[in-house]
Amino acid sequence: MLQITALVLLFSIIFIILGGMAAYFAITKDTRLEVEKLNTSGANLLLFDSEGTPLAYTSAVKRYSEYDEISPYVVKAFIALEDKRFLKHNGIDYYRLAGAMINNLKAGYLKEGGSTITQQLAKNALLSNEKTLTRKLKEAKLAFQLERRFSKEEIITMYLNTIYFGNGLYGITAASERLFGKLPADLTLAESAMLAGIVKNPRDNSPLGSVERAIERRNLVLSVMKREGEIDETDYQNAVSTGYVQPASLPKSSNSYQNAVFYEAGQLLDMSEKEILTGNLKIYTYCDQTLQVRLEHAVEDEDFKVSDADVAVMVGDNATGGIAAYAATFSYAPQTVYRSPASTIKPLISYLPALDLGRIAPASPVSDQKTDFGGYAPDNFGGKYLGETDIRAAVKSSSNVVAVRLLQEIGVEYGKMMLDEMGIPTDDRDGLALALGGMYRGVTIGQLLGGYLCLSNGGNYLAPGLIRRIEREDGTVLYQRNEGKKPLFSAESSYLMTDMLCETAQSGTAKKLSSLPYPVAAKTGTAGSSAGNTDAWCAAYTAERTVISWYGNLSGESRSMLPNRVTGGGLPTLLTRYAFECSDAPHDFAVPIGIIEGEIDTKATQTEQKLLLSSDLTPERYRKRDLFDIAFFPPEVSHYWDDLLTGEFKAEEIAEGISIRFDTKPGIRYDLIDAQSDTPLFTVQGNGESVEFITPPKFGFNGYYLRLYDENGEHLTDSQSIYLLSLNPLTLRRRA
């Protein structure tokens, strides 16, 4: 019985092996080694600007380095990390492959691939990145063919010239020059180990993305090299103690726009960055090359730079939502960098929704004083409060209290819903602090641009994008951007918000924009604590373009901290102004048909805490003209002044003297004046009740009138005089 079982098992194994061999030969029968493709490095992607002119980018540099032109440290680092038996196997490392299979079975998923350097060369130069058994079998056949055709030196040389190092960098030459400012032959041990550490995850492990992560990976490679006997302890210690400094001769912003395009294309087509670069694609962007070059120089210019700060600026076209320019001093794709928007979020989550719901108008009264909102008590910047004020003044001064108050009134969930509609996702844990930019995740510069594009487009949301169209080499369209707009807010509420933000740019927190010779709306924001500032923003727009500028700190010993002198109204606003100066002058903002002007009674409005139109009796100093949405125009006229002097005011002679009685209103000071001498007799602060004075009469006619003042001591008006004939002077007394 055991013999029969053994025979069955043996024949089963033989059948499986024969079946596998048959499948292998069937699948790979047409797989041939195309030698001409092995020595090509770099991408075949074509980029175009908004005019259809080709855009140059880093990967277009296709330089090949021979084996003797590459530092031996590079070869040792890659072999130690990627394929320690490279010099011994014939293209397939069966020991490593078996270990990978066991680890995958233990993990329950495809955890390891077990590919040799020869296999990686076959995949990088000759195959696609699809994760299928078919590709793996073709890869194995090509690896055998490579080993028969070329020496190990030739294989490692071709591998190093075709490998992808992230940020559009293909091949050891492009990576060496961009990351270290030197040729591959001059790379040190530490630099070589850093390059080897990049390839597993080029976006995250490159020093252009994260210096800390790149050094961490480099040190891991160095430890592997020491373990494999490629370096000794002294070499190891010297290398791990080395830092990283980008070459000064290369502008850090040179890859900004292309990196953002690569990332967006990958998201749109569900491809890796490498697949985008090597897929024979044509990508048509919205890039304005002239503006792009100017902003790339600007973020590196001494006028806009500050030590320990990263900078980014993005410019969107209002009509299309296309991103015309993006420059930064870091190489992270902007879609991956989330930061607190600080006060720049206020117009989007508090003011604009409240305007659209008809809850407020620019002239609406509001209280700006220290307030506890159910356990959350925000402070205004510098501890300054306006007291009883209006919405326009609150926007101009960037009041924290008022922004939170409005979000509480319209509802946090409603505010979050509107942010989500504007392409700014929120978190379930986000609460009232959201009104001040307090978000668990934060926003990207592109998401904030989208929110302000909604304002600049009259309340219509248009998702920003860098890419207009993506085609294959044969002209097949893979992606065409939809430039359609989604209505979210009325044109009237958006214009009212714009009008208030224009005032902010003229004399508020963004007043550095006031020198521009055309209307611009702006909002600044600064996030931080007593320990220092973390983010500084300026979000601004004209009738044609929208600009977002950001200063922060993404790396370094003072991680996330900025010098305290960097605030939203400073360098970010200056950089924003420069971006506008580099663009054509726009036309004025269009006024919607539903915007009308009205005159309110500010005294009555503040006293009664609702909008009241001025009446014929409203004193000039309390008349204020402002803009309104006709759908929410104030329906009531002020009667505050109507009964100010129509209450009781009379005099009569009694036994004790002359009794003078009159009614008072809260907030008004009353001086009783002797009509003959025009001198004050008594002063009383109105409290809504009647008062009575007893005054000694003079022989003959006695005349009196009331002089009224507001709480600031400004004269309001005088009453009519009243007269009384008396023949019996008495002493002065007051009776309540």
Side-chain angles (χ1 to χ4, degrees):
M1 185 67 180
L2 290 174
Q3 290 178 336
I4 295 174
T5 303
L7 285 172
V8 171
L9 181 60
L10 176 61
F11 281 118
S12 297
I13 293 173
I14 293 172
F15 179 78
I16 291 171
I17 293 173
L18 291 175
M21 291 176 64
Y24 169 77
F25 286 114
I27 290 171
T28 65
K29 64 183 178 66
D30 296 324
T31 302
R32 297 286 183 271
L33 181 62
E34 299 177 79
V35 177
E36 68 276 5
K37 291 185 178 181
L38 291 173
N39 294 331
T40 59
S41 62
N44 50 37
L45 171 70
L46 294 176
L47 287 182
F48 300 92
D49 68 8
S50 60
E51 301 297 325
T53 303
L55 274 171
Y57 60 100
T58 304
S59 289
V61 180
K62 301 178 180 180
R63 291 187 53 196
Y64 193 89
S65 292
E66 299 294 345
Y67 183 81
D68 58 4
E69 295 174 327
I70 300 171
S71 168
Y73 287 129
V74 174
V75 176
K76 290 180 180 180
F78 275 90
I79 290 177
L81 184 68
E82 296 292 323
D83 189 2
K84 65 182 180 181
R85 279 181 287 274
F86 172 69
L87 299 176
K88 300 176 182 178
H89 63 64
N90 64 347
I92 305 294
D93 186 345
Y94 298 104
Y95 291 101
R96 184 177 181 185
L97 185 61
M101 292 175 63
I102 293 171
N103 290 335
N104 290 338
L105 288 172
K106 289 180 179 179
Y109 63 95
L110 194 61
K111 182 180 180 182
E112 299 179 20
S115 293
T116 64
I117 283 177
T118 312
Q119 287 176 278
Q120 290 183 51
L121 171 61
K123 181 185 71 172
N124 292 339
L126 305 171
L127 298 171
S128 69
N129 287 317
E130 61 179 346
K131 296 179 180 180
T132 63
L133 178 60
T134 298
R135 195 218 73 197
K136 291 296 292 184
L137 292 174
K138 291 180 178 179
E139 179 185 293
K141 183 175 181 178
L142 289 170
F144 289 134
Q145 293 176 347
L146 283 167
E147 291 281 345
R148 288 197 299 268
R149 181 74 177 268
F150 299 102
S151 69
K152 291 290 185 179
E153 285 187 1
E154 290 173 321
I155 290 173
I156 190 70
T157 301
M158 289 185 286
Y159 167 76
L160 290 172
N161 277 282
T162 58
I163 200 166
Y164 182 55
F165 290 91
N167 296 285
L169 302 173
Y170 265 92
I172 190 68
T173 308
S176 303
E177 292 181 343
R178 177 67 182 89
L179 300 181
F180 304 106
K182 57 178 64 174
L183 294 174
D186 301 321
L187 292 169
T188 65
L189 170 59
E191 292 164 347
S192 300
M194 182 172 285
L195 287 173
I198 290 173
V199 296
K200 185 176 182 181
N201 190 337
R203 181 178 297 281
D204 292 341
N205 295 343
S206 171
L208 298 180
S210 169
V211 173
E212 290 89 346
R213 178 67 177 160
I215 289 177
E216 179 184 332
R217 286 285 300 170
R218 178 203 68 185
N219 293 346
L220 172 64
V221 175
L222 289 168
S223 67
V224 172
M225 294 179 72
K226 184 177 72 169
R227 186 186 69 206
E228 296 299 321
E230 297 291 349
I231 58 174
D232 58 24
E233 181 65 25
T234 300
D235 293 332
Y236 172 79
Q237 292 297 337
N238 289 337
V240 296
S241 64
T242 305
Y244 173 77
V245 178
Q246 285 202 71
S249 59
L250 293 172
K252 291 190 290 182
S253 64
S254 60
N255 293 336
S256 301
Y257 198 92
Q258 74 172 49
N259 286 347
V261 169
F262 297 160
Y263 188 92
E264 184 173 297
Q267 295 294 301
L268 292 172
L269 302 182
D270 192 23
M271 291 182 178
S272 70
E273 186 174 298
K274 181 182 176 183
E275 289 173 313
I276 294 296
L277 288 162
T278 58
N280 282 305
L281 301 177
K282 296 179 180 179
I283 298 182
Y284 296 86
T285 74
Y286 290 95
C287 183
D288 178 333
Q289 287 208 60
T290 301
L291 179 62
Q292 177 66 25
V293 170
R294 289 182 177 180
L295 292 186
E296 284 178 0
H297 285 95
V299 297
E300 297 291 348
D301 191 273
E302 291 301 321
D303 290 341
F304 301 111
K305 284 184 68 173
V306 62
S307 60
D308 298 324
D310 292 297
V311 185
V313 56
M314 184 175 283
V315 181
D317 176 75
N318 297 351
T320 64
I323 296 172
Y326 167 69
T329 57
F330 52 89
S331 294
Y332 291 107
Q335 300 93 329
T336 66
V337 179
Y338 287 83
R339 305 294 295 189
S340 166
S343 292
T344 59
I345 205 73
K346 291 175 182 175
L348 306 180
I349 193 173
S350 294
Y351 291 105
L352 182 57
L355 285 164
D356 204 61
L357 292 170
R359 300 287 185 87
I360 60 169
S364 292
V366 67
S367 177
D368 179 32
Q369 53 192 339
K370 182 70 175 178
T371 306
D372 189 309
F373 298 95
Y376 178 55
D379 294 311
N380 280 356
F381 179 75
K384 297 178 181 179
Y385 300 89
L386 300 176
E388 297 303 320
T389 186
D390 60 29
I391 294 296
R392 186 178 290 276
V395 171
K396 181 178 175 180
S397 68
S398 194
S399 166
N400 289 339
V401 171
V402 173
V404 173
R405 188 185 303 282
L406 289 177
L407 181 56
Q408 185 186 58
E409 290 180 6
I410 66 173
V412 174
E413 291 308 312
Y414 182 80
K416 290 165 69 172
M417 178 185 72
M418 298 314 297
L419 279 187
D420 290 340
E421 290 289 327
M422 285 185 276
I424 301 176
T426 56
D427 189 279
D428 291 340
R429 295 167 291 181
D430 291 333
L432 275 177
L434 193 56
L436 310 181
M439 306 174 72
Y440 274 86
R441 191 178 188 191
V443 300
T444 67
I445 188 171
Q447 288 172 344
L448 193 61
L449 175 68
Y452 276 84
L453 280 172
C454 185
L455 270 171
S456 60
N457 275 295
N460 298 299
Y461 175 67
L462 178 59
L466 298 112
I467 299 172
R468 291 184 290 136
R469 188 172 71 258
I470 303 177
E471 297 177 357
R472 291 196 188 280
E473 189 177 23
D474 61 7
T476 302
V477 177
L478 300 179
Y479 168 77
Q480 179 68 53
R481 186 167 178 272
N482 179 8
E483 295 177 355
K485 300 175 182 179
K486 177 175 65 175
L488 291 181
F489 303 97
S490 73
E492 287 74 19
S493 58
S494 299
Y495 182 81
L496 292 176
M497 190 73 252
T498 295
D499 186 68
M500 289 189 283
L501 292 178
C502 282
E503 193 168 328
T504 300
Q506 280 299 309
S507 55
T509 57
K511 61 186 176 183
K512 285 183 170 60
L513 296 174
S514 61
S515 61
L516 293 173
Y518 44 77
V520 56
K523 183 72 189 78
T524 63
T526 306
S529 64
S530 57
N533 297 332
T534 57
D535 299 271
W537 298 84
C538 180
Y541 56 97
T542 64
E544 294 178 1
R545 279 186 166 171
T546 300
V547 178
I548 309 291
S549 295
W550 171 84
Y551 280 65
N553 193 333
L554 298 176
S555 61
E557 294 181 1
S558 56
R559 186 173 180 83
S560 295
M561 285 297 158
L562 283 167
N564 279 328
R565 66 186 179 89
V566 180
T567 61
L571 285 171
T573 303
L574 289 174
L575 181 56
T576 299
R577 185 179 71 188
Y578 178 75
F580 283 126
E581 290 170 343
C582 292
S583 304
D584 293 335
H587 52 75
D588 291 349
F589 291 107
V591 183
I593 193 171
I595 292 294
I596 61 173
E597 192 176 48
E599 184 181 78
I600 65 162
D601 184 323
T602 59
K603 177 67 178 178
T605 292
Q606 285 295 340
T607 301
E608 300 189 31
Q609 284 297 291
K610 64 179 181 180
L611 281 170
L612 293 168
L613 298 173
S614 60
S615 69
D616 293 340
L617 297 175
T618 302
E620 189 62 36
R621 70 175 61 88
Y622 292 108
R623 296 172 181 265
K624 180 183 177 183
R625 302 196 68 80
D626 214 324
L627 300 178
F628 296 89
D629 181 344
I630 193 170
F632 304 112
F633 193 71
E636 298 181 54
V637 175
S638 168
H639 294 288
Y640 184 83
W641 309 97
D642 297 2
D643 57 359
L644 197 61
L645 295 171
T646 57
E648 181 182 59
F649 177 39
K650 57 184 177 181
E652 62 177 331
E653 190 168 16
I654 58 177
E656 295 90 340
I658 294 179
S659 169
I660 302 173
R661 294 188 300 275
F662 55 91
D663 296 330
T664 67
K665 289 179 69 72
I668 305 296
R669 192 188 89 199
Y670 297 83
D671 284 6
L672 180 63
I673 308 296
D674 185 315
Q676 277 83 8
S677 63
D678 204 34
T679 57
L681 299 176
F682 300 103
T683 295
V684 64
Q685 190 66 42
N687 58 7
E689 298 180 0
S690 296
V691 296
E692 180 182 9
F693 290 98
I694 308 284
T695 182
K698 294 180 289 186
F699 186 81
F701 283 100
N702 293 266
Y704 308 96
Y705 68 90
L706 297 173
R707 180 164 291 162
L708 283 62
Y709 298 87
D710 65 15
E711 64 270 20
N712 297 317
E714 293 192 38
H715 179 224
L716 296 174
T717 187
D718 293 341
S719 70
Q720 294 288 330
S721 298
I722 55 175
Y723 292 92
L724 182 70
L725 178 63
S726 176
L727 304 174
N728 185 23
L730 296 174
T731 57
L732 171 65
R733 272 177 43 196
R734 178 184 176 192
R735 185 175 73 194

